[in-house]
């Protein structure tokens, strides 16, 4: 095998064929059970070489697959696992809570505890509502924005993903401001008729849309750290402009912080950029690896939600006690002093090492990073701020690199458009090994054979 063997974690080998026969069998069986063999499309490895590896277990920064190969994990369940796999504090809280029952459909003190923990450490929300996914959080926050403002139109940006609610599965047409067309079969035109799609990073497009519809837009939704189509880091002044222009028009600014919330800092991207959104959505990290989402805003705005107000939203498993316990455990750890600074520093070290190697060798690679999120872009551009600047031709090369990384013991999300995440439990040794593997795979990709030992 070439994935790092469980019994030989010190030195990943890259000589023999990686044995993935159990994963292969499981994937064949899964294809009979699920469309494409998976329960979420990107897991299907359609954009990279090979078939999905089936995971047996995770511990700390490592994953072990069904064949016993181990990997240093930079997917971290697509972001939630800020403290790595099976963190003892999370496991203890979950086990203790589960023993008392798993769901009641009635309030528990745990919901109060998680909400208090968040609200007392995050100045951007006065009141929250818990839901069970990021999609649900965004869908409900959009409904709230429409209910609160009495307006129907919403603005989103090309390259930002906000889950799979009908009105957000939209792609841009041509031109600066476009009425969206649905990006999925099964979404009626009527569902996206009120969704306007703009390119990121264009002040002109924003000015244009507000000129056309000065008092019709309920909200502008953005990932303040767009991390679903590469990492399209925006200028802080652009985000500030967005804040100002929405305010001038009585339009709500909705920060979708499903990825950035509790990852960039306890106050997410809002805190990082010091910009107050009117509404904010959370997911991923908030649930400690369990299905939790949330949306929040001012008391006045949240007062529009049922049963206090006229905007309806509900959920059988919302605020599930086991999920709340996991969230409390994980977010409590996030309050430790220096957590986010350390995470950013070690991610920066890893990225600098990779970038220096790429630069020295003249490879077309740029590592974009913010906090503990990074994206390996196959480009020579110094900045990529909008979806259209990504060259789709590079994805084939990424697909091959992904396979080689896997074979050498590094697990990334299976698409060149996906970002990577570093957790608090990635050790210096993990990052040194992973850095070397990244550099070796770059060497192989552009034709230089790496040295045999490091
Ligand atoms: N919003 C953002 C920014 C996301 O990244 C995602 C998922 O990746 C979602 C919303 C949807 O969250 P979920 O997959 O939990 O429904």
């Amino acid at each position: 095998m070439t994935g790092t063997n469980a019994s030989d974690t010190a030195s990943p080998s890259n000589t023999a064929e990686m044995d993935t026969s159990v994963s292969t069998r499981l994937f064949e069986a899964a294809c009979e059970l699920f469309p494409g063999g998976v329960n979420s499309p990107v897991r299907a490895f359609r954009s990279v070489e090979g078939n999905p590896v089936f995971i047996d277990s995770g511990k700390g920064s490592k994953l072990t697959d069904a064949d016993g190969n181990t990997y240093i994990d930079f997917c971290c369940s697509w972001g939630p696992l800020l403290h790595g796999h099976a963190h003892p504090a999370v496991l203890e809280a979950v086990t203790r809570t589960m023993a008392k029952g798993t769901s009641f459909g009635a309030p528990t003190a745990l919901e109060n505890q998680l909400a208090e923990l968040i609200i007392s450490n995050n100045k951007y929300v006065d009141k929250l509502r818990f839901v069970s996914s990021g999609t649900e959080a965004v869908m409900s926050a959009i409904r709230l924005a429409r209910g609160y403002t009495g307006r129907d139109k919403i603005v989103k940006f090309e390259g930002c993903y906000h889950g799979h609610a009908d009105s957000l599965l939209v792609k841009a047409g041509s031109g600066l401001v476009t009425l969206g067309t649905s990006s999925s079969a099964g979404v009626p035109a009527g569902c996206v008729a009120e969704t306007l799609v703009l390119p990121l990073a264009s002040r002109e497009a924003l000015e244009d849309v507000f000129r056309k519809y000065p008092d019709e837009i309920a909200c502008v939704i953005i990932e303040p750290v767009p991390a679903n189509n590469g990492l399209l880091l925006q200028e802080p002044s652009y985000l500030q402009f967005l804040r100002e222009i929405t305010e001038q028009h009585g339009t709500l600014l909705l920060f979708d912080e499903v990825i950035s919330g509790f990852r960039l800092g306890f106050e997410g991207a809002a805190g990082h950029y010091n910009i107050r959104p009117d509404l904010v959505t959370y997911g991923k990290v908030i649930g400690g690896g369990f299905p939790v989402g949330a949306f929040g805003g001012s008391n006045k705005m949240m007062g529009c939600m049922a049963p206090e107000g006229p905007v309806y939203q509900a959920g059988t498993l919302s605020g599930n006690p086991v999920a709340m316990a996991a969230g409390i455990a994980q977010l409590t750890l996030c309050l430790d002093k220096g957590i986010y600074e350390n995470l950013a520093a070690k991610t920066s070290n890893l990225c600098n090492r990779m970038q220096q190697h790429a630069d020295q060798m003249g490879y077309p690679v740029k590592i974009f990073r913010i906090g503990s999120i990074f994206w390996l872009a196959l480009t020579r551009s110094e900045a990529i701020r909008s979806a259209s600047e990504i060259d789709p031709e590079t994805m084939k090369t990424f697909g091959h690199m992904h396979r080689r990384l896997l074979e050498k013991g590094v697990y990334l999300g299976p698409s060149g458009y996906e970002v990577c995440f570093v957790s608090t439990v990635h050790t210096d040794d993990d990052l040194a090994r992973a850095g070397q593997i990244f550099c070796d795979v770059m060497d192989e990709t552009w034709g230089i054979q790496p040295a045999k030992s490091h």
Side-chain angles (χ1 to χ4, degrees):
M1 57 159 277
T2 45
T4 310
N5 190 284
S7 60
D8 180 24
T9 49
S11 59
S13 139
N14 59 0
T15 49
E17 274 294 296
M18 178 165 69
D19 182 5
T20 53
S21 51
V22 179
S23 279
T24 302
R25 273 205 309 281
L26 287 169
F27 186 58
E28 279 164 11
C31 287
E32 300 296 317
L33 302 167
F34 314 114
V38 288
N39 287 299
S40 194
V42 79
R43 296 182 196 166
F45 274 46
R46 295 272 170 116
S47 340
V48 296
E49 291 182 6
N51 287 325
V53 288
F54 276 57
I55 304 304
D56 178 65
S57 63
K59 180 77 192 137
S61 61
K62 313 273 190 340
L63 286 172
T64 301
D65 73 14
D67 290 274
N69 303 306
T70 68
Y71 310 92
I72 303 170
D73 181 20
F74 291 100
C75 179
C76 295
S77 188
W78 302 97
L81 302 181
L82 191 86
H83 303 299
H85 296 273
H87 191 286
V90 176
L91 289 191
E92 189 280 322
V94 165
T95 318
R96 176 169 30 89
T97 307
M98 229 163 47
K100 294 165 73 177
T102 54
S103 181
F104 309 113
T108 67
L110 293 165
E111 291 157 71
N112 291 13
Q113 273 175 38
L114 182 55
E116 277 163 10
L117 184 67
I118 295 167
I119 292 167
S120 60
N121 291 287
N122 181 334
K123 60 182 167 297
Y124 300 103
V125 279
D126 294 337
K127 221 172 231 178
L128 283 171
R129 174 151 288 169
F130 289 122
V131 293
S132 301
S133 70
T135 295
E136 220 189 314
V138 171
M139 183 183 76
S140 310
I142 297 266
R143 186 178 306 140
L144 171 56
R146 285 172 159 155
Y148 181 81
T149 59
R151 301 172 176 182
D152 288 342
K153 292 198 190 317
I154 59 169
V155 167
K156 83 172 281 285
F157 296 91
E158 208 185 340
C160 287
Y161 174 69
H162 303 292
H164 63 94
D166 280 350
S167 68
L168 292 161
L169 286 180
V170 190
K171 59 177 182 248
S174 58
L176 268 188
V177 178
T178 57
L179 279 172
T181 45
S182 135
S183 60
S184 163
V187 175
C191 286
V192 295
E194 304 289 1
T195 307
L196 301 152
V197 187
L198 266 52
L200 275 167
S202 166
R203 289 176 186 229
E204 202 189 344
L206 277 169
E207 283 163 348
D208 205 19
V209 82
F210 279 107
R211 238 188 329 269
K212 276 200 180 111
Y213 308 105
D215 49 15
E216 291 179 59
I217 302 168
C219 74
V220 173
I221 179 170
I222 188 168
E223 286 181 82
V225 173
N228 273 291
N229 208 291
L231 186 60
L232 306 173
L233 294 173
Q234 300 299 296
E235 296 277 14
S237 60
Y238 168 76
L239 294 172
Q240 190 56 46
F241 176 71
L242 186 55
R243 175 62 285 184
E244 286 158 17
I245 198 165
T246 45
E247 206 156 330
Q248 282 159 21
H249 291 86
T251 294
L252 305 183
L253 177 61
L254 198 174
F255 272 4
D256 180 355
E257 298 232 36
V258 166
I259 288 183
S260 52
F262 310 103
R263 175 156 285 278
L264 273 198
F266 205 90
E267 293 182 321
H272 180 85
Y273 292 113
N274 193 22
I275 294 177
R276 175 177 287 279
D278 299 297
L279 284 169
V280 60
T281 54
Y282 298 117
K284 300 198 189 256
V285 176
I286 198 175
F290 279 75
V292 181
F295 60 101
S298 65
N299 282 317
K300 184 172 174 217
M301 226 168 272
M302 294 305 284
C304 290
M305 297 303 301
E308 243 173 272
V311 177
Y312 192 71
Q313 183 278 335
T316 301
L317 290 176
S318 294
N320 173 269
V322 183
M324 294 289 106
I328 294 165
Q330 171 140 290
L331 293 198
T332 301
L333 292 169
C334 291
L335 291 172
D336 285 355
K337 206 165 171 291
I339 278 263
Y340 290 106
E341 289 78 4
N342 288 341
L343 250 178
K346 64 186 186 181
T347 310
S348 167
N349 286 342
L350 171 68
C351 294
N352 288 344
R353 172 165 185 200
M354 290 154 64
Q355 191 65 61
Q356 272 167 15
H357 185 71
D359 290 348
Q360 268 163 18
M361 304 303 284
Y363 300 149
V365 170
K366 177 82 189 158
I367 318 289
F368 295 102
R369 178 192 73 85
I370 185 166
S372 54
I373 308 173
F374 71 93
W375 176 45
L376 181 73
L378 306 190
T379 181
R380 294 190 192 277
S381 300
E382 284 304 310
I384 296 191
R385 302 207 191 279
S386 67
S388 61
E389 292 170 60
I390 303 175
D391 179 3
E393 291 299 311
T394 59
M395 293 302 156
K396 195 165 180 291
T397 307
F398 177 87
H400 181 67
M401 291 175 82
H402 181 273
R403 188 72 208 170
R404 291 299 294 140
L405 288 164
L406 211 55
E407 288 170 351
K408 289 169 179 283
V410 167
Y411 187 94
L412 306 188
S415 159
Y417 291 99
E418 299 295 346
V419 295
C420 303
F421 299 98
V422 175
S423 77
T424 56
V425 297
H426 279 86
T427 62
D428 289 346
D429 181 52
D430 291 332
L431 297 175
R433 279 175 49 207
Q436 186 61 56
I437 291 171
F438 275 113
C439 292
D440 287 351
V441 169
M442 286 191 242
D443 288 343
E444 283 182 15
T445 304
W446 286 284
I448 297 154
Q449 288 306 311
K452 280 223 163 56
S453 60
H454 312 289

